[in-house]
Every structure is written in C-alpha cells, then in structure tokens.
C-alpha cells in the first residue's frame, strides 16, 4: 500500500526555493532544508531526489514564475517604450525601497553554478532566451504600432535588454549609489529611440 504524503509538496518546494535563493546552492545544507521545508530527509529524497535535483526543481519553479511576472509587467502598458521603461525603473525602485537584496535566483545560479555545471548552464541559458523572447514580443508590438522604428533589430535589442537586466541585478546586490544605477537605466532606455 502506497503511503500518502503528509506534507504539501508545493509549499515545501516554495520553502526550498526561498532558502536556496537566499543562501545559494553550496551554502544550503540538508539540515537547513529539512528545517525550512518542515520535512525529514527521507521525504525530501522520496519526493524530490537529492539536493541537486531539489535545487533544479526550485529553480524551474522560480524561472517559470519569474518569466510570467515579467511578461505581465510588460503587457500592462499599451506603449512598448513605457512598458520597458516601467519595467527597468520599477526594478530599480523595488530594489532600493526594500531591505537587503537577494538578487534574482536564476542570475545567482548563473554566477554560482553555471560556469562549472552543464545542466545549470543550459537551464539558465534557456531562461535568458525566454526573457529575450518576452522583450522581443514587446519591441515588435512597438514596431507594429509605429512607436518604434521598423528598421530596429528587435531580437538584438531584446538580447541587449536581457544582458542589461542581468548586469543591473548583479550590480544592485552590492548596493551602488542609486544615481549610478539610474543613469545606467536611462542609457539602456535610450536604445529604444
């Protein structure tokens, strides 16, 4: 007879995601995970596999939610320029009005694991490409409406916006002067003209 799980799998995965996001893969111990998730090691192994498989599940959960949030933020505006402006300025505002910075879980993984783990190199690259596709949709909408020049290379600019997003996110973890970041965002946004 199969034993019923006595915990909420989604809730446990969310707890693991938050912990990995805050501490990173290497600094998170199995004891940390059992404490945060409220379950014992055998339940972690039976449900998620080993620590690396749990991390992968948490990262996949994060990237799916992260992409959906970005798409929603960009689709909120009828203007492509205002959508992208609102996204970048909002990201900076959120970062500087909050407490400490955890950065982006996916970008943290790019820095910590992707350079020496092929699986996480591929997973993080897929997320980067998906974000570029979301930005490209917004830029192409602006081209169709006449707001942006038809001659603009929407794919290249979308990729540039992803590189800018990653760079800003990493930099903001070190809390540079707000004016430094604000000026950088204005230069990034000037690419939309």
């Amino acid at each position: 007879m199969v034993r019923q799980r006595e915990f909420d799998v989604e809730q446990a995965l969310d707890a693991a995601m938050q912990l990995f996001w805050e501490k990173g893969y290497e600094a998170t111990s199995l004891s940390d995970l059992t404490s945060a998730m409220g379950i014992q090691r055998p339940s972690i192994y039976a449900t998620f596999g080993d620590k690396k498989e749990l991390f992968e599940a948490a990262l996949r959960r994060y990237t799916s939610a992260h992409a959906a949030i970005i798409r929603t933020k960009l689709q909120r505006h009828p203007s492509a320029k205002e959508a992208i402006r609102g996204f970048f300025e909002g990201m900076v505002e959120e970062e500087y009005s909050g407490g400490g910075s955890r950065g982006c879980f996916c970008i943290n993984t790019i820095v910590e694991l992707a350079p020496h783990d092929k699986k996480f190199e591929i997973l993080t690259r897929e997320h980067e490409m998906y974000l570029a596709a979301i930005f490209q949709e917004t830029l192409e909408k602006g081209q169709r409406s006449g707001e942006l020049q038809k001659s603009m290379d929407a794919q290249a600019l979308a990729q540039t916006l992803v590189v800018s997003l990653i760079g800003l996110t990493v930099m903001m973890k070190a809390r540079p002067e707000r004016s430094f970041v604000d000026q950088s965002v204005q230069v990034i946004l000037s690419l939309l003209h």
Side-chain angles (χ1 to χ4, degrees), residues 38-70:
I39 59 176
Q40 297 304 311
R41 287 179 192 214
S43 295
I44 290 176
Y45 292 127
T47 307
F48 302 104
D50 64 13
K51 178 181 164 185
K52 194 174 217 178
E53 289 169 312
L54 175 58
F55 185 87
E56 180 182 344
L59 179 63
R60 286 182 185 278
R61 183 172 184 82
Y62 174 86
T63 57
S64 175
H66 185 244
I69 289 167
I70 291 176

Side-chain angles (χ1 to χ4, degrees), residues 23-178:
K23 295 182 78 169
Y25 177 76
E26 292 295 337
T28 301
S29 70
L30 276 171
S31 296
D32 294 334
L33 288 164
T34 58
S35 177
M37 297 169 76
I39 59 176
Q40 297 304 311
R41 287 179 192 214
S43 295
I44 290 176
Y45 292 127
T47 307
F48 302 104
D50 64 13
K51 178 181 164 185
K52 194 174 217 178
E53 289 169 312
L54 175 58
F55 185 87
E56 180 182 344
L59 179 63
R60 286 182 185 278
R61 183 172 184 82
Y62 174 86
T63 57
S64 175
H66 185 244
I69 289 167
I70 291 176
R71 173 172 264 133
T72 299
K73 285 180 179 180
L74 291 173
Q75 289 177 343
R76 224 182 266 157
H77 297 277
S79 159
K81 285 182 181 180
E82 286 308 308
I84 293 170
R85 175 179 299 286
F87 172 76
F88 276 94
E89 290 178 348
M91 179 183 85
V92 172
E93 185 59 41
E94 190 176 302
E95 185 64 34
Y96 280 91
S97 64
S101 176
R102 295 187 296 177
C104 166
F105 183 23
C106 185
I107 294 170
N108 295 348
T109 304
I110 290 170
V111 174
E112 182 183 13
L113 296 177
H116 52 85
D117 189 305
K118 190 71 171 168
K119 177 179 271 189
F120 292 106
E121 175 191 332
I122 291 167
L123 284 173
T124 56
R125 186 178 310 128
E126 285 173 355
H127 187 57
E128 293 163 16
M129 290 168 38
Y130 190 64
L131 294 181
I134 294 171
F135 280 122
Q136 186 173 340
E137 285 173 10
T138 303
L139 295 169
E140 288 173 348
K141 182 177 88 173
Q143 286 178 308
R144 285 191 301 277
S145 73
E147 181 185 12
L148 298 172
Q149 297 174 7
K150 298 254 188 258
S151 61
M152 178 189 70
D153 185 338
Q155 182 181 20
L157 182 52
Q159 292 168 349
T160 301
L161 292 174
V162 171
V163 169
S164 300
L165 168 64
I166 292 169
L168 283 169
T169 303
V170 171
M171 177 173 270
M172 286 191 296
K173 284 185 74 160
R175 302 303 257 182
E177 287 294 322
R178 172 80 186 255

